[in-house]
């Protein structure tokens, strides 16, 4: 099957499932990204193992689950702020003790790559679960509303902007791309494609303003720029990882897209920047 057709079918079905889960309730939203977190972390460790880099998949996946669940509890207003720091720190100490008494080679390398996976994947996805609670349904954005309401619109907006950037960059880059953006890391990306992605995302940002409201037009455009730049950098970072490890895709679970890290690399990198931006415009 043509790669573009595969990408389209997988993308449409995946997007429909994800958007439905996000819209239905916070619990279904959190459950979907819990699965994405586990599968992405698994892919990360599979990549390291295949290329001979010492790591501990069990510790990495366990740590990712714990960190993500703690963020979800915080989102549900269980006030796990101190625990959110203390528990992962305790698990880290326990893991260091395990490596101390193990006979594995390069224990520090194993620890470093394992912790890096948690920071790179689980923390951003966990942070994502906090975003939809910081919203006032009256249309006025407040950082700490009196009565928290699950605002799926913010997650929709983040995903739509990333997808709009991807689609615009792909088609504009295919037809008009001439000047390489970062040839050393990603030879196919061009400046023309990047500008096309930004333009497409800005159109969607205006449509989101018309449909959802929530922010002013300048705030929406600012969010759009933040998402496009950070998402594009996330894509380049994942390309750097794959080039360093000399692999084409992070996995094969998503036909036409590769693996979960291939599909969610832009979102992973954009989440912390978006969270900070939303904090600043409160």
């Amino acid at each position: 099957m043509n790669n573009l057709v595969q990408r389209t079918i997988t993308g449409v079905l995946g997007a429909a499932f994800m958007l439905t889960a996000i819209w239905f309730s916070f619990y279904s939203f959190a459950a979907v990204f819990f699965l994405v977190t586990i599968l992405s972390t698994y892919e990360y460790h599979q990549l390291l193992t295949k290329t001979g880099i010492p790591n501990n998949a069990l510790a990495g996946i366990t740590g990712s689950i714990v960190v993500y669940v703690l963020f979800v509890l915080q989102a549900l207003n269980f006030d796990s702020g101190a625990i959110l720091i203390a528990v992962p720190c305790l698990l880290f100490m326990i893991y260091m003790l395990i490596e101390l008494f193990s006979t594995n080679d390069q224990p520090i390398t194993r620890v470093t790559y394992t912790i890096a996976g948690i920071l790179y994947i689980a923390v951003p996805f966990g942070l994502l679960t906090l975003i939809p609670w910081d919203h006032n349904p009256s249309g006025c954005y407040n950082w700490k509303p009196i009565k928290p309401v699950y605002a799926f619109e913010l997650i929709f907006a983040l995903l739509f902007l990333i997808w709009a950037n991807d689609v615009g960059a792909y088609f504009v880059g295919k037809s008009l791309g001439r000047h390489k953006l970062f040839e050393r890391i990603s030879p196919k990306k061009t400046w023309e494609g990047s500008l096309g992605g930004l333009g497409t995302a800005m159109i969607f940002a205006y449509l989101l303003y018309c449909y959802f409201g929530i922010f002013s037009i300048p705030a929406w455009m600012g969010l759009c720029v933040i998402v496009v730049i950070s998402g594009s950098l996330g894509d380049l970072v994942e390309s750097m990882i794959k080039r360093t490890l000399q692999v084409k895709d992070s996995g094969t679970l998503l036909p036409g897209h590769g693996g979960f890290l291939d599909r969610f690399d832009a979102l992973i990198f954009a989440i912390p920047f978006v969270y900070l931006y939303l904090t600043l415009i409160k």
Side-chain angles (χ1 to χ4, degrees):
M1 186 183 297
N2 181 277
N3 185 260
L4 179 59
V5 175
Q6 280 190 326
R7 286 177 64 89
T8 302
I9 293 174
T10 303
V12 169
L13 293 178
F17 173 75
M18 183 168 292
L19 292 176
T20 301
I22 294 168
W23 166 82
F24 187 73
S25 74
F26 172 77
Y27 297 101
S28 56
F29 155 62
V32 166
F33 277 95
F34 177 72
L35 181 62
V36 170
T37 299
I38 293 175
L39 292 175
S40 298
T41 305
Y42 173 77
E43 278 187 357
Y44 169 80
H45 285 281
Q46 284 291 99
L47 282 175
L48 295 179
T49 301
K50 288 179 181 178
T51 51
I53 296 176
N55 67 97
N56 189 322
L58 179 59
I61 293 173
T62 301
S64 291
I65 290 173
V66 171
V67 168
Y68 184 84
V69 169
L70 287 173
F71 270 107
V72 170
L73 291 176
Q74 180 69 20
L76 291 172
N77 206 28
F78 278 86
D79 196 21
S80 59
I83 297 177
L84 190 60
I85 299 174
V87 172
C89 184
L90 177 62
L91 290 177
F92 172 71
M93 299 302 179
I94 294 173
Y95 178 42
M96 289 290 283
L97 289 175
I98 292 173
E99 290 293 342
L100 173 66
F101 291 101
S102 73
T103 57
N104 295 310
D105 294 332
Q106 305 180 57
I108 297 302
T109 303
R110 284 165 55 86
V111 170
T112 301
Y113 278 100
T114 300
I115 299 302
I118 297 173
L119 294 176
Y120 176 52
I121 299 169
V123 172
F125 281 138
L127 198 59
L128 181 67
T129 65
L130 300 182
I131 290 177
W133 292 102
D134 302 318
H135 171 73
N136 188 323
S138 67
C140 176
Y141 187 82
N142 292 312
W143 183 237
K144 287 296 181 184
I146 296 174
K147 184 179 180 181
V149 175
Y150 171 58
F152 68 89
E153 298 94 337
L154 293 177
I155 307 301
F156 271 25
L158 178 54
L159 292 176
F160 285 149
L161 291 175
I162 288 175
W163 294 341
N165 178 49
D166 285 347
V167 172
Y170 179 81
F171 285 105
V172 173
K174 275 282 189 181
S175 57
L176 302 176
R178 297 292 183 274
H179 301 87
K180 301 299 182 182
L181 175 66
F182 208 136
E183 190 170 8
R184 178 173 62 86
I185 296 298
S186 187
K188 293 183 179 181
K189 286 184 172 55
T190 63
W191 281 103
E192 291 84 357
S194 296
L195 292 175
L198 176 61
T200 307
M202 282 186 165
I203 294 172
F204 266 79
Y206 178 73
L207 294 175
L208 290 168
Y209 162 75
C210 294
Y211 191 76
F212 290 143
I214 307 176
F215 313 121
S216 64
I217 292 180
W220 272 112
M221 292 303 162
L223 177 63
C224 174
V225 171
I226 292 292
V227 170
V228 168
I229 292 177
S230 59
S232 298
L233 289 173
D235 189 46
L236 288 172
V237 166
E238 214 249 337
S239 295
M240 176 189 70
I241 293 172
K242 291 190 294 185
R243 184 168 288 272
T244 301
L245 299 179
Q246 298 182 343
V247 297
K248 184 179 183 297
D249 295 316
S250 66
T252 58
L253 292 176
L254 300 174
H257 292 269
F260 277 81
L261 285 177
D262 294 313
R263 182 64 274 173
F264 291 97
D265 52 2
L267 177 62
I268 288 172
F269 218 76
I271 290 168
F273 291 95
V274 169
Y275 189 87
L276 179 60
Y277 176 76
L278 296 179
T279 304
L280 294 176
I281 66 170
K282 66 181 179 179

